[in-house]
Amino acid sequence: MPSEQEAPVAEGIKPRAAVLRTREYHPPLGSREGVRLDFNENTLACSPRVLEVLGRISRAELTKYPERGPAEKLVAAHLGVMPDQVLLTNGVDEAIHVLCQTYLDAGDEFLLPVPTYSMYEVYGSSTDARMVFVPAAADFAFPEEELFRRITSVTKMIALANPNSPTGKSVPRGTILRLLERAPQAMVLVDEAYYHFYGETVLDLVGRAPNLVVTRTFSKAYGLAGLRLGALIASHEQMQWLRRMISPYSVNGLALACLPAALEDHAYLEWYVAQVREGRALFTAALDRLGLPYWPSQANFVLTKIGARHREFVAAMRRRDVLVRDRSTDPGCEGCVRITIGVLEHTRKGIAALEESLAEIGWKA
């Protein structure tokens, strides 16, 4: 064995070509002190019952490998699907990764309406498939006609965030049904991360449409973003392949222990969703009053059009301890800023900071 000083130096070792072309994702986290209206999280807290569970977890419990099965049965009952149709994941990000690794191969195409959630592109481009981007129609309307036109025999996956981020736009159920029929050779992912603020779902189609996959997250309304927990729902036939591609221990034991308490606290979930929906109406009314352009949203955020001074606006909001997300680098979103809607207290603080920040940068309608 060579000594440490004599260890050979690896030269010219490179990753796969797909890795080299994958766009690296840099979450703009940094210091996040203040009112968090930047990442579409629950802006307040999780259910108090979750904290009670955390307080009861013993040191011995942390020595065990986590087991998904019991929690998946609870989630299946909660969602009204069969237990073998649910796979818990380390956030929806892992669900997207597993889908891409399971279905995308060289020569395949991944159709992606844009702008949308960044991780679809990140994980899709890490495979040998070709990414096909379909720009949104006017006012970020779903590009149904163009998307259908781009479907071919090599289309293997299509991803729809419903409602979409960063726009807050939704895709009608009828359009999803036609897409499932039009592309039977492709897995169609309907990401329902913002379902609770929208209220419409296609979960009832799982199993009936063999090429449908639905994802849900516990990071938004449930307030468990720090525990990283998502759910992938698909037919039994597809699930047998998806389970081959996921680590058996990727969901941590703390998340699995806390999940039942979060699911059981219906009152807290209903309260938080009601706060967001009321806050969304309050916030858009303020935007109307100020003359600030925005797109009506079905989610827990609103995309606004600040224009050329978007960076100054984001900085001015931060000086007032309110964090918002600049989305100007997303396709078609130049000058746009996304603002999360949380509890009413935080929404009111956001509106006050918005008014002051627009005045500071000299923005005029």
Side-chain angles (χ1 to χ4, degrees), residues 46 48-49 69 98 123 154 158 186 210 218 309:
C46 62
R49 296 187 188 181
V98 168
Y123 289 127
V154 296
I158 305 169
F218 298 94
R309 310 194 73 174

Side-chain angles (χ1 to χ4, degrees), residues 25-223:
Y25 180 71
H26 295 281
L29 292 171
S31 173
R32 298 190 66 217
E33 298 299 322
V35 180
R36 297 174 287 105
L37 307 185
D38 52 346
F39 272 31
N40 302 340
E41 304 153 320
N42 179 314
T43 67
L44 183 66
C46 62
S47 162
R49 296 187 188 181
V50 170
L51 291 185
E52 293 172 5
V53 171
L54 284 172
R56 295 195 298 267
I57 292 175
S58 68
R59 291 183 298 167
E61 286 298 311
L62 299 181
T63 67
K64 302 176 183 176
Y65 283 111
E67 183 182 353
R68 283 190 182 88
E72 288 176 345
K73 290 180 181 178
L74 287 176
V75 172
H78 177 77
L79 296 177
V81 298
M82 299 301 293
D84 65 358
Q85 294 177 324
V86 174
L87 176 62
L88 290 179
T89 58
N90 191 279
V92 170
D93 286 358
E94 185 185 34
I96 299 166
H97 191 199
V98 168
L99 282 166
C100 291
Q101 292 298 313
T102 302
Y103 295 107
L104 295 179
D105 208 345
D108 294 335
E109 291 185 347
F110 182 178
L111 264 61
L112 191 60
V114 291
T116 192
Y117 183 46
S118 302
M119 299 310 293
Y120 305 139
E121 178 186 354
V122 170
Y123 289 127
S125 62
S126 71
T127 71
D128 291 322
R130 186 171 80 90
M131 300 297 301
V132 178
F133 302 105
V134 183
D139 278 337
F140 296 121
F142 185 71
E144 180 175 345
E145 183 177 334
E146 180 62 14
L147 183 68
F148 278 53
R149 191 183 71 81
R150 300 298 295 271
I151 294 172
T152 71
S153 61
V154 296
T155 302
K156 196 63 177 292
M157 188 167 164
I158 305 169
L160 311 177
N162 197 35
N164 187 36
S165 177
T167 66
K169 296 277 190 175
S170 59
V171 184
R173 178 185 177 92
T175 299
I176 296 173
L177 283 167
R178 288 191 293 275
L179 184 60
L180 290 165
E181 295 172 358
R182 175 69 178 79
Q185 79 287 358
M187 294 305 299
V188 178
L189 165 62
V190 179
D191 185 349
E192 296 185 346
Y194 303 101
Y195 157 75
H196 294 94
F197 314 110
Y198 175 45
E200 297 187 20
T201 181
V202 291
L203 265 181
D204 59 296
L205 299 177
V206 170
R208 293 162 52 192
N211 57 332
L212 172 65
V213 177
V214 176
T215 51
R216 290 282 183 90
T217 182
F218 298 94
S219 296
K220 312 300 183 186
Y222 287 98

